[in-house]
Amino acid sequence: MSRSFLGMPAFPRAAAVSTRDPRLRANLAHATHTIRDKRARAVAELDDWAQLRAAGAAVKDRTLRHLDHYLEQLEESVAAAGGHVHWAADADEANRIVTRLVRETGEREVVKVKSMATQEIGLNEALAEAGIRAYETDLAELIVQLGDDLPSHILVPAIHRNRGEIRDIFRREMGKWGRPAPEGLSDSPTELAEAARLHLREKFLTAKVGISGANFMVAETGTLVVVESEGNGRMCLTLPETLISVVGIEKTVPTWQDLEVFLQLLPRSSTAERMNPYTTTWTGTTDGDGPRAFHLVLLDNGRTDTLADAVGRQALRCIRCSACLNVCPVYERAGGHAYGSPYPGPIGAILTPQLRGMAGPLEESLPYASSLCGACYEVCPVAIDIPEVLVHLRERVVEGGPVTRRGARVVLKPAKGHAAERAAMRAAAWAFDHPGVLRGGMRLAARTRRLHPRRLPGPGRAWSDTRALPTVPAESFRDWWRRTRGDAGGSERGGVK
Amino acid sequence: MSGRDVVLARVRRALADVPRGEGPHDPPVPRDYRRVHGSRTVEETVELLAENLADYRAVVHRCAPAGLPALIARLLAARGARTVVVPAGLDPRWLSAAEVAARPDRATDTARDLAAVDSVLTGCALAVAETGTLVLDAGPDQGRRRITLVPDHHICVVRVPDQVVGSVPEALPRLAPERPLTWISGPSATSDIELDRVEGVHGPRTLEVVLMAADGEG
Ligand code: SF4
């Protein structure tokens, strides 16, 4: 019914394919540049951005360092408000729980709000096997689902499709899923959005079960928060009788007050808006308003393994804003699919290998899908030091050492001379072969951030040994970008706000 | 072992490096960010709200309490609305001049029933000036969440300056987490097709905001 990311080839092979697709590259370049410029303006409006960023990082760190405490508190608050809490150690368990909950309602169809956690566990496929049809309702997810395709960007999952392709997909596929596309549908975004509105309205008005993720869960109050633009989230969270939310355990924040930090950081960093059009918060169930039954499925699926690594655990602070994708020279060239998971770009390069216990050629090559230019760290609203984690993971791949897999400690063998090293080599070679990427890599030597990797382990070391690392004056990534790339793209377009 | 025990045991093992004496509130969170950005008079805060609402494509109107019924009548007539859904606790005077069928929000109404209604008229819990946001908390003059979602035209009345706060940090303490909240910043929008912004996907495609000054003002 739909494709999944499982069994994707290692990064360099997948990247090489996308790099040859000129349309994909043009779409990606246009999109990332447009969002990047707007984001810079939205962030510049707040003169305390640095303080908000530090607070956001600290709140997440506090939560992660005492996650057992906050999860138990969350469970208690949600239950006290009338919700049911379920725990899933892995994807299979989560899928079993959700399938059972849907079956208990007697329904065969569910409407879904965009959720990366449910993509990660392959929920739609699991439901399909059980004879349950899941309808994606986010416009981009709808495009991806109807096109039997995979998402390629956190925020704009259909970024790799242009309007003509979208029109063709709608004309061809909508009728198979429900209300067909209107006669004579053109490729204007307004008409395409209207077609999606009509198609999905049928689903919303009849849906009995909604499935969502959440951006935040507040431990002290049991409140869940969904931040969105289109209103499909409100539809799925409000109209069905049963709501099932599948949420990674790291989405917890301790207090209601903590939302004042994240509701400022997320919209500006993500869609470059002062505030996104719609945010819904709910605490358990409310009599007569919204779903009568609320189930929260707390998902581990590799998060505790990531938590076990004192350097790597900062990846769990991520609030999925996608800012790091839009500044990444490697992402811009490789495209989202090359990262082989719902988490593309720099965050995917550190999160996916950790969630999957560094097992497999894709996972071992991902830490090399970067030139370590540091732009991702500079824009990250929760200050995740992505280059630090990349270097740390490269060390694991090359030198071996302990990692946690499904809760158990295992010791990785050093990669010397085996397939992992070759995959890593190719990833590094790919990143360094691309001129724009290489320039980013050269900035490594001049970085003034607190982390200076002592050396680039593995293939990177070979690379740094044969070239004198240039000492260039410190400059911000943005300055560097402007100087080397010009102010190309986007700023004249006033559209996305 | 249950899924719960497995996950919690893994979390505890994963955190073996956290010092025993460190409590859940120990690692300090620096809260030296601003409560509000810039200093403004009450009037300037209301002005900023109006600006930011308009910037996100809400249509902004102003009136004094005495002028509200006429204004609402005019907005509904301009829209060609014949039916308008109203929450149970809405001040009936607001609709007193309008020639429409007012339809009280009823628990028995299905989503499909609401889809046949032209407009919805509500108050709000508060509005945030810096972000141009209205917050609804399902209070008596706002009703169930679905009534401001399914109809295509929403008129929301904000009492200024009482219901206006400057910023997000000023908003949260005034809101009750146990109530279902809807934060609305302009009509719904998507940029999913080549990043071209399209207004109005699933929520009301037209959002009109009436800033109603307290008696003696405006
Ligand atoms: S790592 Fe940081 S910048 Fe990247 S998506 Fe997550 S929060 Fe955003």
Side-chain angles (χ1 to χ4, degrees):
Chain A
M1 182 159 121
S2 62
R3 294 165 60 187
S4 86
F5 280 111
L6 296 176
M8 288 282 287
F11 180 82
R13 234 174 75 213
V17 174
S18 338
T19 316
R20 283 196 300 270
D21 180 345
R23 173 184 282 172
L24 172 60
R25 288 198 51 184
N27 286 3
L28 269 179
H30 167 62
T32 54
H33 288 240
T34 305
I35 303 176
R36 189 163 60 210
D37 293 348
K38 292 204 165 96
R39 180 191 180 279
R41 288 196 295 273
V43 166
E45 268 189 24
L46 298 189
D47 59 0
D48 61 341
W49 187 258
Q51 287 82 355
L52 283 166
R53 183 177 187 243
V59 168
K60 285 284 187 174
D61 277 350
R62 167 186 285 185
T63 317
L64 291 171
R65 290 173 72 83
H66 302 280
L67 192 57
D68 50 339
H69 168 86
Y70 288 115
L71 285 173
E72 286 184 314
Q73 189 187 14
L74 174 75
E75 177 186 44
E76 211 174 290
S77 317
V78 170
H84 304 275
V85 180
H86 311 261
W87 301 69
D90 57 24
D92 285 346
E93 191 171 7
N95 288 333
R96 273 199 308 275
I97 293 169
V98 177
T99 305
R100 174 172 57 78
L101 292 171
V102 177
R103 281 220 170 107
E104 282 171 9
T105 67
E107 295 295 319
R108 317 288 295 181
E109 294 184 344
V110 301
V111 285
K112 278 186 71 198
V113 204
K114 176 172 137 181
S115 140
M116 304 185 69
T118 60
Q119 275 167 29
E120 175 192 320
I121 62 175
L123 178 64
N124 291 6
E125 294 74 23
L127 289 173
E129 271 173 35
I132 298 162
R133 216 166 191 198
Y135 296 111
E136 294 292 348
T137 64
D138 181 72
L139 178 52
E141 295 288 345
L142 176 72
I143 296 166
V144 167
Q145 187 176 44
L146 293 177
D148 190 20
D149 200 355
L150 290 169
S152 60
H153 190 282
I154 292 180
L155 185 65
V156 208
I159 207 165
H160 57 290
R161 295 287 196 185
N162 62 31
R163 58 184 74 191
E165 292 175 283
I166 295 168
R167 179 203 52 208
D168 294 344
I169 292 170
F170 278 12
R171 280 185 176 167
R172 200 175 59 232
E173 302 294 331
M174 269 185 172
K176 299 180 195 163
W177 291 76
R179 181 175 174 145
E183 286 291 317
L185 177 68
S186 83
D187 66 358
S188 92
T190 310
E191 275 191 41
L192 293 170
E194 171 72 13
R197 175 184 171 98
L198 294 170
H199 177 80
L200 289 170
R201 188 148 275 236
E202 283 308 304
K203 308 267 181 260
F204 292 136
L205 295 183
T206 52
K208 297 278 188 288
V209 182
I211 295 183
S212 81
N215 295 91
F216 308 102
M217 306 187 283
V218 182
E220 78 174 344
T221 61
T223 307
L224 271 75
V225 182
V226 164
V227 170
E228 56 141 349
S229 295
E230 294 174 12
N232 61 311
R234 289 180 70 193
M235 293 278 180
C236 294
L237 300 169
T238 311
L239 297 183
E241 288 168 6
T242 301
L243 172 62
I244 304 167
S245 301
V246 181
V247 189
I249 52 177
E250 83 284 13
K251 300 277 170 172
T252 313
V253 299
T255 67
W256 181 248
Q257 188 195 359
D258 293 330
L259 293 178
E260 74 190 15
V261 177
F262 297 106
L263 291 181
Q264 294 192 79
L265 288 174
L266 180 55
R268 286 182 198 262
S269 193
S270 176
T271 48
E273 293 165 306
R274 292 183 200 105
M275 191 60 87
N276 50 288
Y278 294 139
T279 296
T280 297
T281 79
W282 74 98
T283 304
T285 53
T286 306
D287 280 345
D289 186 351
R292 274 179 281 190
F294 168 54
H295 297 273
L296 170 60
V297 181
L298 292 172
L299 178 70
D300 177 352
N301 204 36
R303 286 160 178 78
T304 51
D305 296 343
T306 308
L307 189 67
D309 186 318
V311 176
R313 75 166 58 123
Q314 56 184 307
L316 298 175
R317 286 186 207 148
C318 174
I319 57 174
R320 312 275 188 265
C321 73
S322 75
C324 58
L325 278 63
N326 299 326
V327 295
C328 179
V330 174
Y331 172 81
E332 187 183 325
R333 284 163 185 77
H337 294 152
Y339 294 81
S341 90
Y343 308 107
I347 182 60
I350 61 169
L351 193 57
T352 304
Q354 298 198 88
L355 290 177
R356 299 185 187 162
M358 303 290 288
L362 171 75
E363 291 70 19
E364 288 171 320
S365 66
L366 278 175
Y368 292 89
S370 164
S371 60
L372 301 178
C373 76
C376 48
Y377 167 78
E378 284 180 35
V379 295
C380 178
V382 285
I384 300 172
D385 197 333
I386 295 176
E388 179 186 23
V389 181
L390 287 166
V391 171
H392 171 72
L393 296 179
R394 287 178 188 189
E395 256 165 10
R396 270 290 166 283
V397 172
V398 174
E399 290 163 15
V403 298
T404 309
R405 238 178 237 167
R406 304 173 67 85
R409 296 287 264 185
V410 293
V411 177
L412 283 188
K413 286 209 274 298
K416 294 259 178 288
H418 81 53
E421 187 175 31
R422 287 195 297 277
M425 273 292 200
R426 283 195 299 270
W430 185 88
F432 293 133
D433 264 0
H434 288 71
V437 182
L438 175 62
R439 271 202 301 269
M442 287 162 69
R443 282 265 297 116
L444 179 64
R447 274 171 45 208
T448 50
R449 301 186 311 91
R450 67 193 154 78
L451 170 86
H452 280 271
R454 298 168 299 285
R455 63 197 190 291
L456 296 183
R461 178 166 47 204
W463 175 81
S464 52
D465 282 352
T466 55
R467 274 159 248 238
L469 289 174
T471 317
V472 296
E475 61 182 329
S476 75
F477 175 78
R478 272 206 293 282
D479 295 343
W480 167 79
W481 190 270
R482 253 185 232 115
R483 187 168 58 74
T484 54
R485 299 286 308 256
D487 198 12
S491 52
E492 75 284 356
R493 303 170 58 90
V496 191
K497 273 202 308 198
Chain B
M1 277 216 297
S2 70
R4 180 181 193 277
D5 296 340
V6 172
V7 175
L8 284 172
R10 284 182 185 174
V11 170
R12 291 186 181 120
R13 263 202 311 278
L15 294 172
D17 63 306
V18 174
R20 272 181 173 279
E22 184 183 306
H25 307 289
D26 280 343
V29 172
R31 299 211 189 254
D32 52 351
Y33 49 85
R34 296 187 191 287
R35 301 309 300 166
V36 62
H37 296 86
S39 61
R40 283 177 291 267
T41 63
V42 172
E43 293 73 32
E44 285 166 343
T45 302
V46 173
E47 195 49 46
L48 182 67
L49 172 67
E51 260 170 47
N52 283 336
L53 283 166
D55 193 27
Y56 283 172
R57 314 289 205 286
V59 185
V60 180
H61 310 274
R62 295 164 191 262
C63 72
L68 185 68
L71 174 61
I72 286 173
R74 187 162 59 73
L75 299 180
L76 289 170
R79 174 87 186 177
R82 282 161 316 199
T83 48
V84 55
V85 61
V86 290
L90 196 84
D91 185 339
R93 284 171 301 179
W94 289 10
L95 264 185
S96 57
E99 296 189 15
V100 288
R103 185 192 170 111
D105 175 30
R106 284 186 304 250
T108 48
D109 277 350
T110 63
R112 208 174 275 287
D113 295 334
L114 287 171
V117 175
D118 296 319
S119 303
V120 56
L121 171 65
T122 70
C124 68
L126 57 79
V128 187
E130 280 184 11
T131 57
T133 303
L134 309 170
V135 185
L136 274 58
D137 72 354
D141 63 346
Q142 299 150 60
R144 297 183 301 158
R145 285 174 284 172
R146 58 174 56 194
I147 68 169
T148 54
L149 174 61
V150 180
D152 204 17
H153 176 221
H154 181 193
I155 303 175
C156 182
V157 178
V158 184
R159 294 181 171 85
V160 301
D162 291 4
Q163 290 189 312
V164 184
V165 300
S167 65
V168 172
E170 288 183 346
L172 283 160
R174 286 182 50 166
L175 294 165
E178 64 277 11
R179 305 187 70 94
L181 301 183
T182 305
W183 298 50
I184 300 172
S185 309
S188 76
T190 184
S191 302
D192 280 350
I193 302 166
E194 295 183 16
L195 296 182
D196 269 1
R197 184 177 171 104
V198 177
E199 309 279 329
V201 194
H202 300 299
R205 284 181 286 191
T206 307
L207 172 64
E208 302 201 68
V209 182
V210 178
L211 304 180
M212 181 174 71
D215 269 322
E217 291 178 44

